[in-house]
């Protein structure tokens, strides 16, 4: 399971000209899933995300977590995170899980993140053509792969 996390001042997701998610201070989380991902990956990753110290403290040092700042989160499925660009110029997405595997894991990820953060998580819609807008704060962008824990 791979995520790209962006610290944002605001972020939103629009589908067919309808805004389906909108947050202010928090994290935009782009989530990519492969067939080998498990509930263990979800639990490790959501715990890492909510405790990641990427928000500034009173001394302007990144020392606070999403929990510390009572921030929000929006999760967007993104199979393209597992693109392979080794051959040619057209990315291959063969490593990305198909919907029958990815959707239940995506939903479990969102539910676990809600438990870990203690609040409702906004989302895009799995498989939809989404327009994602954000104001990256910092900018701070971090990539985490649950298969690279060590």
């Amino acid at each position: 399971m791979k995520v790209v996390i962006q610290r944002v001042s605001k972020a939103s997701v629009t589908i067919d000209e309808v805004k389906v998610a909108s947050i202010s201070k928090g994290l935009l989380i782009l989530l990519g899933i492969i067939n080998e991902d498990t509930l263990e990956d979800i639990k490790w990753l959501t715990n890492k995300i909510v405790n990641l110290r990427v928000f500034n403290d009173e001394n302007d040092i990144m020392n606070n977590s999403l929990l510390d700042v009572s921030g929000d989160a929006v999760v967007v499925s993104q199979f393209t995170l597992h693109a392979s660009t080794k051959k040619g110029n057209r990315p291959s997405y063969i490593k990305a899980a198909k919907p029958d595997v990815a959707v239940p894991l995506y939903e479990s990820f969102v539910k676990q993140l809600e438990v870990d953060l203690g609040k409702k998580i906004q989302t895009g819609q799995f498989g939809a053509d989404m327009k994602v807008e954000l104001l990256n704060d910092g900018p701070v962008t971090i990539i985490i792969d649950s298969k690279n824990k060590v």
Side-chain angles (χ1 to χ4, degrees):
M1 196 164 280
K2 187 181 291 187
V3 292
V4 172
I5 299 168
Q6 295 180 299
R7 184 179 77 181
V8 298
S9 297
K10 63 181 179 176
S12 65
V13 179
T14 302
I15 302 171
D16 295 328
E17 298 184 30
V18 175
K19 192 174 284 190
V20 297
S22 180
I23 65 167
S24 53
K25 182 177 188 173
L27 297 175
L28 170 65
I29 303 165
L30 304 175
L31 174 67
I33 299 169
I34 58 174
N35 287 325
E36 294 78 19
D37 288 329
T38 66
L39 293 177
E40 182 181 312
D41 291 295
I42 291 170
K43 288 179 181 176
W44 180 85
L45 199 50
T46 59
N47 181 64
K48 178 67 81 174
I49 290 168
V50 299
N51 290 294
L52 200 62
R53 296 179 352 186
V54 294
F55 293 92
N56 294 356
D57 63 15
E58 62 279 354
N59 297 315
D60 211 26
I61 297 170
M62 285 197 291
N63 207 20
N64 288 331
S65 70
L66 192 58
L67 287 168
D68 295 328
V69 300
S70 298
D72 292 313
V74 61
V75 177
V76 175
S77 62
Q78 182 129 19
F79 74 93
T80 60
L81 292 181
H82 291 288
S84 173
T85 57
K86 287 184 180 180
K87 292 183 180 179
N89 294 317
R90 180 177 297 186
S92 168
Y93 305 108
I94 196 137
K95 289 178 74 176
K98 302 285 185 249
D100 61 320
V101 171
V103 170
L105 288 171
Y106 170 78
E107 292 171 350
S108 294
F109 178 89
V110 171
K111 286 179 186 168
Q112 185 63 50
L113 192 58
E114 288 178 338
V115 168
D116 291 352
L117 193 54
K119 63 168 65 174
K120 181 82 172 129
I121 301 298
Q122 297 198 44
T123 67
Q125 179 183 335
F126 190 94
D129 180 20
M130 296 174 271
K131 306 303 180 211
V132 179
E133 291 185 80
L134 68 137
L135 181 56
N136 194 321
D137 181 18
V140 175
T141 302
I142 296 175
I143 301 168
I144 304 173
D145 189 333
S146 66
K147 302 305 185 210
N148 293 327
K149 295 178 201 166
V150 187

